[in-house]
Amino acid sequence: MIAILVGPPGSGKGTQAKVLTGKFGIPQISTGDMLRAAKTAGTLDPRYRAIMDAGGLVPDEAMIELIDKRIDDADCKNGFLLDGFPRTVPQADALERLLAGRGLTIDAVLQLDVARSLLEERLIHRRTDKRSGQIYHLVYNPPPPDAELEHRADDRPEAVGKRLDAYEAMTAALLPYYEAKGLLRRVDGVGKPEEVTARVLEALGRVQSEES
Ligand code: AP5
């Protein structure tokens, strides 16, 4: 299965991806995680680091190159779940070309819907365990006392507004793009994470039954 999770910052893409990859035995490909790993390793272009920290979008060409290499890894042979890519129509066009060149197609694009007022609150209180990558929320899903917590630079209030604006301005064009291809499935992203997972699985089930 090749599926894409689309949604604004804080809509729960990472939270859901971690559950879904466990269930389907396919990897999560998160461009945000890949960029942050490069940042920690000191290999990220300093211009991209500044863009990320301020809440902007890294140039399309750099992101497309990253995905082109990643989908050839052995763990992708039975499919993958894209989280945070594509974010723009040029990225979506490039993905289609990359997949077509390998004889592959997208099965579903899942859009997580959450109101902007809830997103800010989710992001500002998000913390990630550096060792396990587990995502927590200080109020809704508090971390255990021994977690080694990290507060993302782009989760500070001054960057959060900019990220939400960037999503609305640039990725809003993605939804009609995938809708026109008949791939888009809207999922209500409000409620307990396990309730959202049940809705995502139901949407994926519908895709599989439509295909058979
Ligand atoms: P990226 O890492 O992709 O960040 P994002 O899209 O902003 O998404 P987030 O990781 O912030 O949110 P999420 O939807 O995964 O939510 P989460 O599950 O953590 O990208 C970071 C940056 O990298 C970008 O700004 C850009 O600069 C660059 N970049 C990456 N990809 C790029 C691309 N393709 N092109 C260009 N630039 C790119 O949940 C958030 C919080 O809510 C957590 O605290 C969680 O515990 C809580 N939560 C989750 N679900 C629920 C729920 N149901 N109820 C209550 N709380 C919940």
Side-chain angles (χ1 to χ4, degrees), residues 8-15 31-32 35-36 52 56-58 63 84-85 87 91 122-123 126 135-137 140 152 154 163 189 191-193 196:
S11 55
K13 301 183 296 295
T15 301
T31 39
L35 290 167
R36 280 185 290 279
M52 279 182 79
L57 288 184
V58 172
M63 304 313 305
F85 183 96
R87 265 176 153 87
Q91 290 183 15
R122 283 190 185 182
L123 290 170
R126 170 170 51 191
I135 303 165
Y136 296 101
H137 185 281
Y140 306 130
R152 275 170 47 174
D154 60 354
R163 286 165 63 202
K192 292 192 183 123
V196 179

Side-chain angles (χ1 to χ4, degrees), residues 25-136:
I26 54 173
Q28 169 196 13
I29 302 183
S30 158
T31 39
D33 285 352
M34 291 165 86
L35 290 167
R36 280 185 290 279
K39 185 172 154 185
T40 306
T43 55
L44 184 67
D45 184 321
R47 288 169 304 170
Y48 301 164
R49 182 187 176 132
I51 292 173
M52 279 182 79
D53 288 352
L57 288 184
V58 172
D60 288 337
E61 313 75 65
M63 304 313 305
I64 293 162
E65 200 185 321
L66 205 63
I67 291 295
D68 190 14
K69 290 197 184 117
R70 178 66 181 92
I71 61 178
D72 280 336
D73 287 345
D75 63 342
C76 294
K77 74 174 190 316
N78 293 325
F80 42 86
L81 182 63
L82 288 163
D83 159 10
F85 183 96
R87 265 176 153 87
T88 63
V89 170
Q91 290 183 15
D93 280 334
L95 176 65
E96 200 163 278
R97 281 195 305 277
L98 295 180
L99 294 178
R102 293 162 170 90
L104 301 171
T105 51
I106 297 164
D107 294 297
V109 178
L110 300 157
Q111 179 204 346
L112 291 179
D113 257 339
V114 180
R116 181 164 174 147
S117 53
L118 286 177
L119 296 171
E120 293 182 5
E121 208 266 341
R122 283 190 185 182
L123 290 170
I124 289 163
H125 293 101
R126 170 170 51 191
R127 297 294 182 276
T128 309
D129 188 333
K130 256 193 229 176
R131 289 166 305 182
S132 64
Q134 186 62 45
I135 303 165
Y136 296 101

